[in-house]
Amino acid sequence: MRIISSGDIDTSLTDRDAVEILRQAFRSPVKAPDPINLNISRPQDLTGQFLVQPVWSDFAGQGHTDRGYIGCSLSLALPEQEGGSSNLYILFSGKGGQPIALLDGVRLAAWRDAGLHALAVAYLSREDAQRLLIVGSDPRLPRLLAAYSAVRNITSVLFAGTDKEIRRRIAGMPDLAQITARTTDDIGSALEGADIVCLAGKNAGTNAWADLSRFDPPAGCHIDTLFADPPLPEMIWQDARLFTTHLGSAPRDGCEWTAGLTELAMGERAGRRYYGQRTLYVPGYETGLADFALAAHVFLKS
């Protein structure tokens, strides 16, 4: 069995490749049952969660087992990890059943998340989108911004509440050298010129969400949130055209969800219907299909 490290994953993928791999994955007939989410009872209110997401090639549909894989994402989240998790991805041969690769699940997840959000941006933001506002701080932002830039010509980024070290890492990425980056404390004014808004979580230093009670992006803006429960005004939930990862596991009840990435990739539903429409992408927790597609690609390339 091959051990595939974070460095192996990085050298096997590009941002543009990751987006296209995921686009094809959402068009493919692979089998992805519902994830299994288990609570791990531990003393002193230290209950953990173990998420298991198996996926396999459509062997019955293709009529043979000469090609294809069986994969499973394993994610363990414990309170003492402070919001992080331990992740592994194991890939089996679809023909013989033997384990053929064990991948660094944390790095695979970083590429997966960036690719999923960039794929949503490709379908839902305006093609002429250039100006990006990032509100909050998240360690995935450097990879995410590189993925955004693979699908849109991002030329200007405003950071509000983003950690200084994350901004430094972004400034040092050669692929992002064309971007003009600044910081702001005035989210209201920054929104007026934004083509895309990324809600990246709580502010660095304060560990609290920015005040979004008057969050009102301009017409035509795409809103991309990295979390399933952003504190957006109810008006945004009602006004924007809503999209998520999988319609069957939309993260918020009582909303009119338009499509998941499968419907967009298959051309079954339109993304942006007109230039001035506001769109909102909220991720779901089902990521097994995306993990499977990227893991298989990395195995073949590494």
Side-chain angles (χ1 to χ4, degrees):
M1 181 175 68
R2 190 186 310 168
I3 305 298
I4 299 179
S5 69
S6 59
D8 295 329
I9 293 172
D10 288 346
T11 57
S12 300
L13 288 167
T14 68
D15 295 294
R16 192 172 300 278
D17 284 346
V19 171
E20 293 308 315
I21 290 164
L22 294 176
R23 192 193 310 273
Q24 293 303 317
F26 283 103
R27 294 171 177 170
S28 67
V30 300
K31 302 302 179 182
D34 292 339
I36 302 166
N37 198 356
L38 304 171
N39 287 327
I40 300 175
S41 297
R42 303 166 75 221
Q44 302 175 352
D45 296 323
L46 294 177
T47 297
Q49 286 192 316
F50 189 50
L51 183 63
V52 181
Q53 298 192 75
V55 179
W56 54 87
S57 303
D58 183 16
F59 300 111
Q62 67 189 31
H64 59 81
T65 60
D66 291 341
R67 66 174 185 273
Y69 305 101
I70 301 163
C72 190
S73 172
L74 305 172
S75 178
L76 175 64
L78 301 176
E80 52 264 49
Q81 291 173 305
E82 298 182 353
S85 63
S86 301
N87 295 290
L88 289 171
Y89 199 89
I90 186 166
L91 199 64
F92 300 84
S93 165
K95 184 173 185 178
Q98 67 272 23
I100 53 178
L102 184 66
L103 292 86
D104 180 338
V106 174
R107 187 60 59 89
L108 189 70
W111 281 93
R112 174 204 71 208
D113 290 345
L116 288 173
H117 286 271
L119 182 61
V121 163
Y123 282 116
L124 303 176
S125 69
R126 301 195 317 264
E127 292 187 5
D128 63 353
Q130 294 182 318
R131 295 165 296 183
L132 171 66
L133 169 63
I134 294 176
V135 180
S137 194
D138 189 281
R140 294 172 291 178
L141 280 172
R143 179 83 277 135
L144 184 75
L145 185 49
Y148 281 168
S149 296
V151 298
R152 288 292 182 264
N153 181 30
I154 304 297
T155 60
S156 172
V157 179
L158 274 176
F159 295 100
T162 305
D163 180 73
K164 183 177 180 180
E165 175 60 21
I166 292 175
R167 290 188 277 115
R168 186 194 66 78
R169 286 171 54 199
I170 291 172
M173 296 175 69
D175 292 347
L176 304 179
Q178 82 284 1
I179 293 177
T180 300
R182 292 176 294 141
T183 60
T184 183
D185 294 323
D186 187 353
I187 295 175
S189 296
L191 280 172
E192 294 178 5
D195 300 318
I196 301 171
V197 178
C198 173
L199 299 180
K202 296 178 179 180
N203 289 342
T206 65
N207 198 33
W209 281 93
D211 181 8
L212 301 178
S213 59
R214 297 184 180 180
F215 184 82
D216 189 18
C221 185
H222 172 59
I223 308 157
D224 183 31
T225 174
L226 302 191
F227 298 91
D229 56 348
L232 289 167
E234 189 62 29
M235 178 269 295
I236 297 296
W237 292 103
Q238 299 302 321
D239 174 72
R241 189 164 162 89
L242 305 182
F243 299 84
T244 187
T245 312
H246 295 282
L247 277 182
S249 57
R252 178 183 166 104
D253 295 330
C255 293
E256 185 178 345
W257 295 94
T258 300
L261 292 177
T262 298
E263 290 75 26
L264 291 173
M266 296 291 288
E268 296 173 355
R269 297 300 299 270
R272 175 177 300 276
R273 291 186 298 181
Y274 56 91
Y275 188 84
Q277 187 170 47
R278 289 194 288 196
T279 53
L280 169 63
Y281 175 76
V282 184
Y285 66 91
E286 290 189 36
T287 58
L289 172 63
D291 287 332
F292 178 75
L294 292 175
H297 173 85
V298 169
F299 171 73
L300 292 172
K301 294 281 287 187
S302 62

